[in-house]
Amino acid sequence: GAVVSQHPSWVICKSGTSVKIECRSLDFQATTMFWYRQFPKQSLMLMATSNEGSKATYEQGVEKDKFLINHASLTLSTLTVTSAHPEDSSFYICSARATGSGNTIYFGEGSWLTVV
Amino acid sequence: SQQGEEDPQALSIQEGENATMNCSYKTSINNLQWYRQNSGRGLVHLILIRSNEREKHSGRLRVTLDTSKKSSSLLITASRAADTASYFCATVTNTGNQFYFGTGTSLTVIP
């Protein structure tokens, strides 16, 4: 079946630095990718929707300059957490909608970010 | 939550019993999907039900959808210890551009 790969799975960074998380669709083209954040024992909160070749659409309350999303190709979207702070520590999950698949969406395994 | 609520928040049952989780949502949808998440892991898609469907089955899973009440339920029959996980409903808007999750139900199946 379709696979979405996230990298890295785990990352620890120092406060004030930036960290990039990649989301790749391995065997299909994804016109739309979604980024979510999940705090422990909570649900997934949609952060932004990114469409290939255009600017991401951010949900209310999500800082565009803080969470930079790039969807430069049909198989890759990146989320960069800029000037990370401990409160940004969370589980980040991406998902991708395959071109022509209607509403079939595939999820990555997630990336744990810890800011120290 | 962004789109909906689930109840109960937590459910603990004995192996072999049935587990029922409910999901309510806020806006019109194209379809509703149920996912499972083991602790600290990604999501596993369980079942999708379209807005014009009322009930769907997949193995031990039964999903219902009531668009007039904006609610859905997931029934897991003959539960197993391996079913222990968090279960989320997710709704896809009519434009297909937003995909929101409910608050989730944490299910514990006691062997």
Side-chain angles (χ1 to χ4, degrees), chain A residues 34 36 38 42-46 49 59 91 93 97 103 105 107-109 112, chain B residues 2 30-31 33 35 37 40-43 88 92 96-97 99-102:
Chain A
F34 304 89
Y36 296 85
Q38 184 181 33
Q42 294 188 25
S43 186
L44 287 78
M45 298 299 293
L46 179 64
T49 303
E59 293 296 304
F91 189 50
I93 302 178
R97 177 173 24 227
N103 286 308
I105 295 176
F107 281 82
E109 278 291 303
W112 282 101
Chain B
Q2 288 172 312
N30 177 282
N31 66 78
Q33 304 180 31
Y35 287 82
Q37 183 184 36
R41 302 296 303 277
L43 284 89
F88 295 94
V92 180
N97 289 332
F99 192 79
Y100 294 112
F101 283 86

PDB file of all heavy atoms in Angstrom, chain A residues 34 36 38 42-46 49 59 91 93 97 103 105 107-109 112, chain B residues 2 30-31 33 35 37 40-43 88 92 96-97 99-102:
ATOM      1  N   PHE A  34      -0.909  17.356   4.762  1.00  0.00           N
ATOM      2  CA  PHE A  34      -1.415  17.971   5.981  1.00  0.00           C
ATOM      3  C   PHE A  34      -0.391  17.790   7.093  1.00  0.00           C
ATOM      4  O   PHE A  34       0.226  16.735   7.212  1.00  0.00           O
ATOM      5  CB  PHE A  34      -2.726  17.310   6.419  1.00  0.00           C
ATOM      6  CG  PHE A  34      -3.807  17.310   5.373  1.00  0.00           C
ATOM      7  CD1 PHE A  34      -3.894  16.271   4.459  1.00  0.00           C
ATOM      8  CD2 PHE A  34      -4.736  18.328   5.313  1.00  0.00           C
ATOM      9  CE1 PHE A  34      -4.893  16.251   3.498  1.00  0.00           C
ATOM     10  CE2 PHE A  34      -5.738  18.317   4.359  1.00  0.00           C
ATOM     11  CZ  PHE A  34      -5.814  17.283   3.448  1.00  0.00           C
ATOM     12  N   TYR A  36       0.075  17.958  11.292  1.00  0.00           N
ATOM     13  CA  TYR A  36      -0.630  17.946  12.559  1.00  0.00           C
ATOM     14  C   TYR A  36       0.363  17.992  13.703  1.00  0.00           C
ATOM     15  O   TYR A  36       1.496  17.538  13.581  1.00  0.00           O
ATOM     16  CB  TYR A  36      -1.465  16.667  12.708  1.00  0.00           C
ATOM     17  CG  TYR A  36      -2.573  16.519  11.706  1.00  0.00           C
ATOM     18  CD1 TYR A  36      -2.324  15.967  10.456  1.00  0.00           C
ATOM     19  CD2 TYR A  36      -3.870  16.921  12.006  1.00  0.00           C
ATOM     20  CE1 TYR A  36      -3.338  15.830   9.526  1.00  0.00           C
ATOM     21  CE2 TYR A  36      -4.898  16.784  11.080  1.00  0.00           C
ATOM     22  CZ  TYR A  36      -4.615  16.241   9.849  1.00  0.00           C
ATOM     23  OH  TYR A  36      -5.617  16.094   8.928  1.00  0.00           O
ATOM     24  N   GLN A  38       0.449  16.919  17.882  1.00  0.00           N
ATOM     25  CA  GLN A  38      -0.275  16.166  18.897  1.00  0.00           C
ATOM     26  C   GLN A  38       0.499  16.220  20.201  1.00  0.00           C
ATOM     27  O   GLN A  38       1.628  15.722  20.284  1.00  0.00           O
ATOM     28  CB  GLN A  38      -0.481  14.712  18.460  1.00  0.00           C
ATOM     29  CG  GLN A  38      -1.310  13.902  19.442  1.00  0.00           C
ATOM     30  CD  GLN A  38      -1.479  12.459  19.008  1.00  0.00           C
ATOM     31  OE1 GLN A  38      -0.593  11.884  18.384  1.00  0.00           O
ATOM     32  NE2 GLN A  38      -2.621  11.872  19.325  1.00  0.00           N
ATOM     33  N   GLN A  42      -3.551  13.866  23.832  1.00  0.00           N
ATOM     34  CA  GLN A  42      -4.504  14.753  23.186  1.00  0.00           C
ATOM     35  C   GLN A  42      -4.708  14.338  21.737  1.00  0.00           C
ATOM     36  O   GLN A  42      -4.027  13.448  21.221  1.00  0.00           O
ATOM     37  CB  GLN A  42      -4.036  16.205  23.267  1.00  0.00           C
ATOM     38  CG  GLN A  42      -4.003  16.759  24.677  1.00  0.00           C
ATOM     39  CD  GLN A  42      -3.717  18.237  24.704  1.00  0.00           C
ATOM     40  OE1 GLN A  42      -3.981  18.955  23.742  1.00  0.00           O
ATOM     41  NE2 GLN A  42      -3.170  18.709  25.810  1.00  0.00           N
ATOM     42  N   SER A  43      -5.650  14.994  21.100  1.00  0.00           N
ATOM     43  CA  SER A  43      -5.938  14.658  19.717  1.00  0.00           C
ATOM     44  C   SER A  43      -4.945  15.345  18.778  1.00  0.00           C
ATOM     45  O   SER A  43      -4.084  16.099  19.207  1.00  0.00           O
ATOM     46  CB  SER A  43      -7.359  15.086  19.372  1.00  0.00           C
ATOM     47  OG  SER A  43      -7.702  14.637  18.075  1.00  0.00           O
ATOM     48  N   LEU A  44      -5.100  15.052  17.509  1.00  0.00           N
ATOM     49  CA  LEU A  44      -4.255  15.683  16.503  1.00  0.00           C
ATOM     50  C   LEU A  44      -4.885  17.023  16.110  1.00  0.00           C
ATOM     51  O   LEU A  44      -6.057  17.086  15.756  1.00  0.00           O
ATOM     52  CB  LEU A  44      -4.143  14.813  15.256  1.00  0.00           C
ATOM     53  CG  LEU A  44      -3.291  13.556  15.379  1.00  0.00           C
ATOM     54  CD1 LEU A  44      -4.017  12.451  16.090  1.00  0.00           C
ATOM     55  CD2 LEU A  44      -2.868  13.079  13.990  1.00  0.00           C
ATOM     56  N   MET A  45      -4.077  18.056  16.166  1.00  0.00           N
ATOM     57  CA  MET A  45      -4.551  19.382  15.776  1.00  0.00           C
ATOM     58  C   MET A  45      -3.958  19.722  14.413  1.00  0.00           C
ATOM     59  O   MET A  45      -2.734  19.735  14.243  1.00  0.00           O
ATOM     60  CB  MET A  45      -4.126  20.421  16.802  1.00  0.00           C
ATOM     61  CG  MET A  45      -4.705  20.183  18.176  1.00  0.00           C
ATOM     62  SD  MET A  45      -6.502  20.235  18.182  1.00  0.00           S
ATOM     63  CE  MET A  45      -6.798  21.953  17.791  1.00  0.00           C
ATOM     64  N   LEU A  46      -4.838  19.994  13.457  1.00  0.00           N
ATOM     65  CA  LEU A  46      -4.375  20.364  12.132  1.00  0.00           C
ATOM     66  C   LEU A  46      -3.673  21.718  12.212  1.00  0.00           C
ATOM     67  O   LEU A  46      -4.237  22.691  12.715  1.00  0.00           O
ATOM     68  CB  LEU A  46      -5.553  20.433  11.162  1.00  0.00           C
ATOM     69  CG  LEU A  46      -5.238  20.841   9.724  1.00  0.00           C
ATOM     70  CD1 LEU A  46      -4.337  19.815   9.046  1.00  0.00           C
ATOM     71  CD2 LEU A  46      -6.525  21.023   8.924  1.00  0.00           C
ATOM     72  N   THR A  49      -2.426  23.033   5.827  1.00  0.00           N
ATOM     73  CA  THR A  49      -2.629  22.210   4.640  1.00  0.00           C
ATOM     74  C   THR A  49      -1.741  22.768   3.546  1.00  0.00           C
ATOM     75  O   THR A  49      -1.782  23.978   3.268  1.00  0.00           O
ATOM     76  CB  THR A  49      -4.099  22.272   4.194  1.00  0.00           C
ATOM     77  OG1 THR A  49      -4.932  21.865   5.268  1.00  0.00           O
ATOM     78  CG2 THR A  49      -4.342  21.382   2.986  1.00  0.00           C
ATOM     79  N   GLU A  59      -4.001  26.948   9.860  1.00  0.00           N
ATOM     80  CA  GLU A  59      -5.177  27.021  10.720  1.00  0.00           C
ATOM     81  C   GLU A  59      -5.048  28.215  11.664  1.00  0.00           C
ATOM     82  O   GLU A  59      -3.942  28.701  11.944  1.00  0.00           O
ATOM     83  CB  GLU A  59      -5.327  25.737  11.523  1.00  0.00           C
ATOM     84  CG  GLU A  59      -5.644  24.529  10.660  1.00  0.00           C
ATOM     85  CD  GLU A  59      -6.977  24.635   9.964  1.00  0.00           C
ATOM     86  OE1 GLU A  59      -8.010  24.831  10.650  1.00  0.00           O
ATOM     87  OE2 GLU A  59      -7.002  24.514   8.719  1.00  0.00           O
ATOM     88  N   PHE A  91       4.570  15.872  19.225  1.00  0.00           N
ATOM     89  CA  PHE A  91       4.586  14.832  18.200  1.00  0.00           C
ATOM     90  C   PHE A  91       3.980  15.451  16.942  1.00  0.00           C
ATOM     91  O   PHE A  91       2.862  15.944  16.979  1.00  0.00           O
ATOM     92  CB  PHE A  91       3.746  13.647  18.684  1.00  0.00           C
ATOM     93  CG  PHE A  91       3.833  12.402  17.853  1.00  0.00           C
ATOM     94  CD1 PHE A  91       5.057  11.878  17.483  1.00  0.00           C
ATOM     95  CD2 PHE A  91       2.686  11.731  17.459  1.00  0.00           C
ATOM     96  CE1 PHE A  91       5.146  10.713  16.738  1.00  0.00           C
ATOM     97  CE2 PHE A  91       2.760  10.560  16.711  1.00  0.00           C
ATOM     98  CZ  PHE A  91       3.984  10.053  16.357  1.00  0.00           C
ATOM     99  N   ILE A  93       2.851  15.011  13.003  1.00  0.00           N
ATOM    100  CA  ILE A  93       2.460  13.970  12.045  1.00  0.00           C
ATOM    101  C   ILE A  93       2.055  14.614  10.727  1.00  0.00           C
ATOM    102  O   ILE A  93       1.343  15.621  10.720  1.00  0.00           O
ATOM    103  CB  ILE A  93       1.279  13.132  12.569  1.00  0.00           C
ATOM    104  CG1 ILE A  93       1.605  12.474  13.886  1.00  0.00           C
ATOM    105  CG2 ILE A  93       0.872  12.070  11.552  1.00  0.00           C
ATOM    106  CD1 ILE A  93       0.442  11.675  14.465  1.00  0.00           C
ATOM    107  N   ARG A  97      -2.461  13.189   0.606  1.00  0.00           N
ATOM    108  CA  ARG A  97      -3.575  12.708  -0.210  1.00  0.00           C
ATOM    109  C   ARG A  97      -3.022  12.409  -1.597  1.00  0.00           C
ATOM    110  O   ARG A  97      -2.432  13.280  -2.226  1.00  0.00           O
ATOM    111  CB  ARG A  97      -4.679  13.742  -0.300  1.00  0.00           C
ATOM    112  CG  ARG A  97      -5.808  13.259  -1.201  1.00  0.00           C
ATOM    113  CD  ARG A  97      -7.041  14.134  -1.247  1.00  0.00           C
ATOM    114  NE  ARG A  97      -6.858  15.501  -0.923  1.00  0.00           N
ATOM    115  CZ  ARG A  97      -7.659  16.148  -0.077  1.00  0.00           C
ATOM    116  NH1 ARG A  97      -8.654  15.506   0.508  1.00  0.00           N
ATOM    117  NH2 ARG A  97      -7.481  17.414   0.180  1.00  0.00           N
ATOM    118  N   ASN A 103     -10.567  10.888  -1.479  1.00  0.00           N
ATOM    119  CA  ASN A 103     -10.251  11.300  -0.123  1.00  0.00           C
ATOM    120  C   ASN A 103      -9.402  10.287   0.628  1.00  0.00           C
ATOM    121  O   ASN A 103      -9.417  10.248   1.836  1.00  0.00           O
ATOM    122  CB  ASN A 103     -11.551  11.564   0.632  1.00  0.00           C
ATOM    123  CG  ASN A 103     -12.178  12.866   0.180  1.00  0.00           C
ATOM    124  OD1 ASN A 103     -11.516  13.894   0.159  1.00  0.00           O
ATOM    125  ND2 ASN A 103     -13.422  12.816  -0.216  1.00  0.00           N
ATOM    126  N   ILE A 105      -6.315   9.194   2.347  1.00  0.00           N
ATOM    127  CA  ILE A 105      -5.206   9.934   2.949  1.00  0.00           C
ATOM    128  C   ILE A 105      -4.330   8.959   3.712  1.00  0.00           C
ATOM    129  O   ILE A 105      -4.821   8.099   4.426  1.00  0.00           O
ATOM    130  CB  ILE A 105      -5.751  11.047   3.863  1.00  0.00           C
ATOM    131  CG1 ILE A 105      -6.503  12.073   3.012  1.00  0.00           C
ATOM    132  CG2 ILE A 105      -4.616  11.708   4.647  1.00  0.00           C
ATOM    133  CD1 ILE A 105      -7.171  13.156   3.788  1.00  0.00           C
ATOM    134  N   PHE A 107      -0.986   8.374   6.329  1.00  0.00           N
ATOM    135  CA  PHE A 107      -0.279   9.055   7.398  1.00  0.00           C
ATOM    136  C   PHE A 107       1.151   8.561   7.554  1.00  0.00           C
ATOM    137  O   PHE A 107       1.443   7.380   7.359  1.00  0.00           O
ATOM    138  CB  PHE A 107      -1.012   8.858   8.731  1.00  0.00           C
ATOM    139  CG  PHE A 107      -2.195   9.748   8.873  1.00  0.00           C
ATOM    140  CD1 PHE A 107      -3.405   9.413   8.291  1.00  0.00           C
ATOM    141  CD2 PHE A 107      -2.093  10.950   9.567  1.00  0.00           C
ATOM    142  CE1 PHE A 107      -4.501  10.261   8.401  1.00  0.00           C
ATOM    143  CE2 PHE A 107      -3.182  11.796   9.685  1.00  0.00           C
ATOM    144  CZ  PHE A 107      -4.384  11.446   9.103  1.00  0.00           C
ATOM    145  N   GLY A 108       2.006   9.498   7.927  1.00  0.00           N
ATOM    146  CA  GLY A 108       3.348   9.118   8.311  1.00  0.00           C
ATOM    147  C   GLY A 108       3.345   8.586   9.733  1.00  0.00           C
ATOM    148  O   GLY A 108       2.324   8.616  10.424  1.00  0.00           O
ATOM    149  N   GLU A 109       4.492   8.111  10.161  1.00  0.00           N
ATOM    150  CA  GLU A 109       4.624   7.534  11.498  1.00  0.00           C
ATOM    151  C   GLU A 109       4.848   8.593  12.574  1.00  0.00           C
ATOM    152  O   GLU A 109       4.879   8.274  13.752  1.00  0.00           O
ATOM    153  CB  GLU A 109       5.784   6.533  11.530  1.00  0.00           C
ATOM    154  CG  GLU A 109       5.397   5.170  10.990  1.00  0.00           C
ATOM    155  CD  GLU A 109       4.431   4.438  11.907  1.00  0.00           C
ATOM    156  OE1 GLU A 109       4.772   4.226  13.092  1.00  0.00           O
ATOM    157  OE2 GLU A 109       3.321   4.079  11.447  1.00  0.00           O
ATOM    158  N   TRP A 112       8.896  12.863  16.739  1.00  0.00           N
ATOM    159  CA  TRP A 112       8.920  13.404  18.086  1.00  0.00           C
ATOM    160  C   TRP A 112       9.950  14.518  18.153  1.00  0.00           C
ATOM    161  O   TRP A 112      11.115  14.313  17.850  1.00  0.00           O
ATOM    162  CB  TRP A 112       9.304  12.311  19.093  1.00  0.00           C
ATOM    163  CG  TRP A 112       8.206  11.373  19.441  1.00  0.00           C
ATOM    164  CD1 TRP A 112       8.018  10.114  18.967  1.00  0.00           C
ATOM    165  CD2 TRP A 112       7.134  11.613  20.354  1.00  0.00           C
ATOM    166  NE1 TRP A 112       6.896   9.551  19.520  1.00  0.00           N
ATOM    167  CE2 TRP A 112       6.331  10.446  20.385  1.00  0.00           C
ATOM    168  CE3 TRP A 112       6.769  12.699  21.160  1.00  0.00           C
ATOM    169  CZ2 TRP A 112       5.187  10.334  21.177  1.00  0.00           C
ATOM    170  CZ3 TRP A 112       5.626  12.597  21.954  1.00  0.00           C
ATOM    171  CH2 TRP A 112       4.862  11.427  21.955  1.00  0.00           C
TER     172      TRP A 112
ATOM    173  N   GLN B   2     -10.959  21.055  16.947  1.00  0.00           N
ATOM    174  CA  GLN B   2     -11.195  21.790  15.723  1.00  0.00           C
ATOM    175  C   GLN B   2     -12.508  21.404  15.082  1.00  0.00           C
ATOM    176  O   GLN B   2     -13.176  22.216  14.466  1.00  0.00           O
ATOM    177  CB  GLN B   2     -10.043  21.537  14.742  1.00  0.00           C
ATOM    178  CG  GLN B   2      -8.760  22.229  15.147  1.00  0.00           C
ATOM    179  CD  GLN B   2      -7.582  21.819  14.287  1.00  0.00           C
ATOM    180  OE1 GLN B   2      -7.348  20.655  14.042  1.00  0.00           O
ATOM    181  NE2 GLN B   2      -6.818  22.789  13.825  1.00  0.00           N
ATOM    182  N   ASN B  30     -17.915  15.466   3.829  1.00  0.00           N
ATOM    183  CA  ASN B  30     -17.936  14.589   2.659  1.00  0.00           C
ATOM    184  C   ASN B  30     -17.886  13.138   3.116  1.00  0.00           C
ATOM    185  O   ASN B  30     -18.584  12.279   2.579  1.00  0.00           O
ATOM    186  CB  ASN B  30     -16.756  14.902   1.757  1.00  0.00           C
ATOM    187  CG  ASN B  30     -16.679  13.988   0.556  1.00  0.00           C
ATOM    188  OD1 ASN B  30     -16.229  12.837   0.665  1.00  0.00           O
ATOM    189  ND2 ASN B  30     -17.130  14.459  -0.589  1.00  0.00           N
ATOM    190  N   ASN B  31     -17.032  12.883   4.087  1.00  0.00           N
ATOM    191  CA  ASN B  31     -16.960  11.542   4.653  1.00  0.00           C
ATOM    192  C   ASN B  31     -16.371  11.612   6.048  1.00  0.00           C
ATOM    193  O   ASN B  31     -15.848  12.651   6.470  1.00  0.00           O
ATOM    194  CB  ASN B  31     -16.133  10.599   3.767  1.00  0.00           C
ATOM    195  CG  ASN B  31     -14.673  10.995   3.710  1.00  0.00           C
ATOM    196  OD1 ASN B  31     -13.897  10.735   4.626  1.00  0.00           O
ATOM    197  ND2 ASN B  31     -14.283  11.632   2.620  1.00  0.00           N
ATOM    198  N   GLN B  33     -13.963   9.264   8.829  1.00  0.00           N
ATOM    199  CA  GLN B  33     -13.058   8.119   8.888  1.00  0.00           C
ATOM    200  C   GLN B  33     -12.696   7.847  10.345  1.00  0.00           C
ATOM    201  O   GLN B  33     -12.669   8.767  11.173  1.00  0.00           O
ATOM    202  CB  GLN B  33     -11.793   8.422   8.068  1.00  0.00           C
ATOM    203  CG  GLN B  33     -12.116   8.788   6.618  1.00  0.00           C
ATOM    204  CD  GLN B  33     -10.897   9.085   5.792  1.00  0.00           C
ATOM    205  OE1 GLN B  33      -9.830   8.534   6.029  1.00  0.00           O
ATOM    206  NE2 GLN B  33     -11.050   9.933   4.778  1.00  0.00           N
ATOM    207  N   TYR B  35      -9.732   6.139  12.847  1.00  0.00           N
ATOM    208  CA  TYR B  35      -8.336   5.756  12.898  1.00  0.00           C
ATOM    209  C   TYR B  35      -8.011   5.199  14.269  1.00  0.00           C
ATOM    210  O   TYR B  35      -8.647   5.525  15.277  1.00  0.00           O
ATOM    211  CB  TYR B  35      -7.420   6.968  12.642  1.00  0.00           C
ATOM    212  CG  TYR B  35      -7.395   7.423  11.209  1.00  0.00           C
ATOM    213  CD1 TYR B  35      -8.393   8.251  10.708  1.00  0.00           C
ATOM    214  CD2 TYR B  35      -6.373   7.021  10.357  1.00  0.00           C
ATOM    215  CE1 TYR B  35      -8.375   8.654   9.387  1.00  0.00           C
ATOM    216  CE2 TYR B  35      -6.343   7.435   9.039  1.00  0.00           C
ATOM    217  CZ  TYR B  35      -7.346   8.254   8.567  1.00  0.00           C
ATOM    218  OH  TYR B  35      -7.319   8.660   7.259  1.00  0.00           O
ATOM    219  N   GLN B  37      -4.636   4.631  16.916  1.00  0.00           N
ATOM    220  CA  GLN B  37      -3.267   5.048  17.180  1.00  0.00           C
ATOM    221  C   GLN B  37      -2.759   4.345  18.422  1.00  0.00           C
ATOM    222  O   GLN B  37      -3.333   4.504  19.503  1.00  0.00           O
ATOM    223  CB  GLN B  37      -3.174   6.570  17.376  1.00  0.00           C
ATOM    224  CG  GLN B  37      -1.758   7.074  17.575  1.00  0.00           C
ATOM    225  CD  GLN B  37      -1.698   8.562  17.852  1.00  0.00           C
ATOM    226  OE1 GLN B  37      -2.567   9.111  18.512  1.00  0.00           O
ATOM    227  NE2 GLN B  37      -0.658   9.238  17.350  1.00  0.00           N
ATOM    228  N   GLY B  40       2.225   6.781  20.991  1.00  0.00           N
ATOM    229  CA  GLY B  40       3.455   7.303  20.426  1.00  0.00           C
ATOM    230  C   GLY B  40       3.722   6.910  18.995  1.00  0.00           C
ATOM    231  O   GLY B  40       4.842   7.084  18.515  1.00  0.00           O
ATOM    232  N   ARG B  41       2.722   6.382  18.328  1.00  0.00           N
ATOM    233  CA  ARG B  41       2.921   5.937  16.944  1.00  0.00           C
ATOM    234  C   ARG B  41       2.028   6.704  15.990  1.00  0.00           C
ATOM    235  O   ARG B  41       1.226   7.539  16.384  1.00  0.00           O
ATOM    236  CB  ARG B  41       2.589   4.432  16.849  1.00  0.00           C
ATOM    237  CG  ARG B  41       3.415   3.535  17.763  1.00  0.00           C
ATOM    238  CD  ARG B  41       4.883   3.577  17.396  1.00  0.00           C
ATOM    239  NE  ARG B  41       5.144   3.202  16.031  1.00  0.00           N
ATOM    240  CZ  ARG B  41       5.258   1.948  15.601  1.00  0.00           C
ATOM    241  NH1 ARG B  41       5.120   0.956  16.456  1.00  0.00           N
ATOM    242  NH2 ARG B  41       5.505   1.692  14.333  1.00  0.00           N
ATOM    243  N   GLY B  42       2.187   6.404  14.707  1.00  0.00           N
ATOM    244  CA  GLY B  42       1.345   7.018  13.702  1.00  0.00           C
ATOM    245  C   GLY B  42      -0.057   6.430  13.716  1.00  0.00           C
ATOM    246  O   GLY B  42      -0.418   5.656  14.592  1.00  0.00           O
ATOM    247  N   LEU B  43      -0.831   6.827  12.732  1.00  0.00           N
ATOM    248  CA  LEU B  43      -2.223   6.409  12.695  1.00  0.00           C
ATOM    249  C   LEU B  43      -2.455   5.294  11.697  1.00  0.00           C
ATOM    250  O   LEU B  43      -1.814   5.249  10.646  1.00  0.00           O
ATOM    251  CB  LEU B  43      -3.108   7.596  12.321  1.00  0.00           C
ATOM    252  CG  LEU B  43      -3.321   8.595  13.447  1.00  0.00           C
ATOM    253  CD1 LEU B  43      -2.240   9.650  13.421  1.00  0.00           C
ATOM    254  CD2 LEU B  43      -4.675   9.236  13.335  1.00  0.00           C
ATOM    255  N   PHE B  88      -9.654   7.572  16.969  1.00  0.00           N
ATOM    256  CA  PHE B  88     -10.040   8.922  16.572  1.00  0.00           C
ATOM    257  C   PHE B  88     -10.978   8.869  15.372  1.00  0.00           C
ATOM    258  O   PHE B  88     -10.761   8.087  14.450  1.00  0.00           O
ATOM    259  CB  PHE B  88      -8.812   9.740  16.164  1.00  0.00           C
ATOM    260  CG  PHE B  88      -7.840  10.001  17.264  1.00  0.00           C
ATOM    261  CD1 PHE B  88      -6.763   9.152  17.458  1.00  0.00           C
ATOM    262  CD2 PHE B  88      -7.989  11.093  18.105  1.00  0.00           C
ATOM    263  CE1 PHE B  88      -5.853   9.385  18.488  1.00  0.00           C
ATOM    264  CE2 PHE B  88      -7.084  11.341  19.131  1.00  0.00           C
ATOM    265  CZ  PHE B  88      -6.022  10.480  19.310  1.00  0.00           C
ATOM    266  N   VAL B  92     -13.789  14.818   6.849  1.00  0.00           N
ATOM    267  CA  VAL B  92     -13.306  15.491   5.654  1.00  0.00           C
ATOM    268  C   VAL B  92     -14.406  16.420   5.177  1.00  0.00           C
ATOM    269  O   VAL B  92     -15.544  15.993   4.979  1.00  0.00           O
ATOM    270  CB  VAL B  92     -12.951  14.488   4.546  1.00  0.00           C
ATOM    271  CG1 VAL B  92     -12.451  15.210   3.298  1.00  0.00           C
ATOM    272  CG2 VAL B  92     -11.924  13.494   5.052  1.00  0.00           C
ATOM    273  N   GLY B  96     -13.058  18.959   0.679  1.00  0.00           N
ATOM    274  CA  GLY B  96     -11.974  17.987   0.732  1.00  0.00           C
ATOM    275  C   GLY B  96     -10.658  18.580   1.161  1.00  0.00           C
ATOM    276  O   GLY B  96      -9.627  17.908   1.146  1.00  0.00           O
ATOM    277  N   ASN B  97     -10.670  19.833   1.536  1.00  0.00           N
ATOM    278  CA  ASN B  97      -9.407  20.489   1.842  1.00  0.00           C
ATOM    279  C   ASN B  97      -9.060  20.527   3.320  1.00  0.00           C
ATOM    280  O   ASN B  97      -7.959  20.915   3.675  1.00  0.00           O
ATOM    281  CB  ASN B  97      -9.425  21.918   1.303  1.00  0.00           C
ATOM    282  CG  ASN B  97      -9.352  21.944  -0.208  1.00  0.00           C
ATOM    283  OD1 ASN B  97      -8.801  21.025  -0.812  1.00  0.00           O
ATOM    284  ND2 ASN B  97      -9.909  22.956  -0.810  1.00  0.00           N
ATOM    285  N   PHE B  99      -9.169  18.281   7.001  1.00  0.00           N
ATOM    286  CA  PHE B  99      -9.247  16.926   7.526  1.00  0.00           C
ATOM    287  C   PHE B  99      -9.000  17.048   9.014  1.00  0.00           C
ATOM    288  O   PHE B  99      -7.871  17.196   9.455  1.00  0.00           O
ATOM    289  CB  PHE B  99      -8.162  16.089   6.838  1.00  0.00           C
ATOM    290  CG  PHE B  99      -8.274  14.619   7.049  1.00  0.00           C
ATOM    291  CD1 PHE B  99      -9.173  13.871   6.321  1.00  0.00           C
ATOM    292  CD2 PHE B  99      -7.456  13.973   7.947  1.00  0.00           C
ATOM    293  CE1 PHE B  99      -9.264  12.499   6.495  1.00  0.00           C
ATOM    294  CE2 PHE B  99      -7.539  12.604   8.134  1.00  0.00           C
ATOM    295  CZ  PHE B  99      -8.450  11.867   7.405  1.00  0.00           C
ATOM    296  N   TYR B 100     -10.083  17.024   9.786  1.00  0.00           N
ATOM    297  CA  TYR B 100      -9.987  17.299  11.208  1.00  0.00           C
ATOM    298  C   TYR B 100     -10.241  16.057  12.049  1.00  0.00           C
ATOM    299  O   TYR B 100     -11.076  15.226  11.708  1.00  0.00           O
ATOM    300  CB  TYR B 100     -11.006  18.371  11.615  1.00  0.00           C
ATOM    301  CG  TYR B 100     -10.751  19.720  11.030  1.00  0.00           C
ATOM    302  CD1 TYR B 100     -11.619  20.253  10.079  1.00  0.00           C
ATOM    303  CD2 TYR B 100      -9.663  20.488  11.428  1.00  0.00           C
ATOM    304  CE1 TYR B 100     -11.399  21.506   9.549  1.00  0.00           C
ATOM    305  CE2 TYR B 100      -9.439  21.747  10.896  1.00  0.00           C
ATOM    306  CZ  TYR B 100     -10.314  22.243   9.965  1.00  0.00           C
ATOM    307  OH  TYR B 100     -10.099  23.491   9.432  1.00  0.00           O
ATOM    308  N   PHE B 101      -9.566  15.986  13.174  1.00  0.00           N
ATOM    309  CA  PHE B 101      -9.724  14.863  14.084  1.00  0.00           C
ATOM    310  C   PHE B 101     -10.575  15.231  15.288  1.00  0.00           C
ATOM    311  O   PHE B 101     -10.564  16.360  15.754  1.00  0.00           O
ATOM    312  CB  PHE B 101      -8.351  14.385  14.570  1.00  0.00           C
ATOM    313  CG  PHE B 101      -7.625  13.575  13.549  1.00  0.00           C
ATOM    314  CD1 PHE B 101      -6.848  14.191  12.584  1.00  0.00           C
ATOM    315  CD2 PHE B 101      -7.737  12.195  13.531  1.00  0.00           C
ATOM    316  CE1 PHE B 101      -6.197  13.447  11.622  1.00  0.00           C
ATOM    317  CE2 PHE B 101      -7.088  11.448  12.573  1.00  0.00           C
ATOM    318  CZ  PHE B 101      -6.314  12.065  11.621  1.00  0.00           C
ATOM    319  N   GLY B 102     -11.288  14.239  15.806  1.00  0.00           N
ATOM    320  CA  GLY B 102     -11.996  14.399  17.055  1.00  0.00           C
ATOM    321  C   GLY B 102     -11.033  14.281  18.220  1.00  0.00           C
ATOM    322  O   GLY B 102      -9.824  14.104  18.038  1.00  0.00           O
TER     323      GLY B 102
END
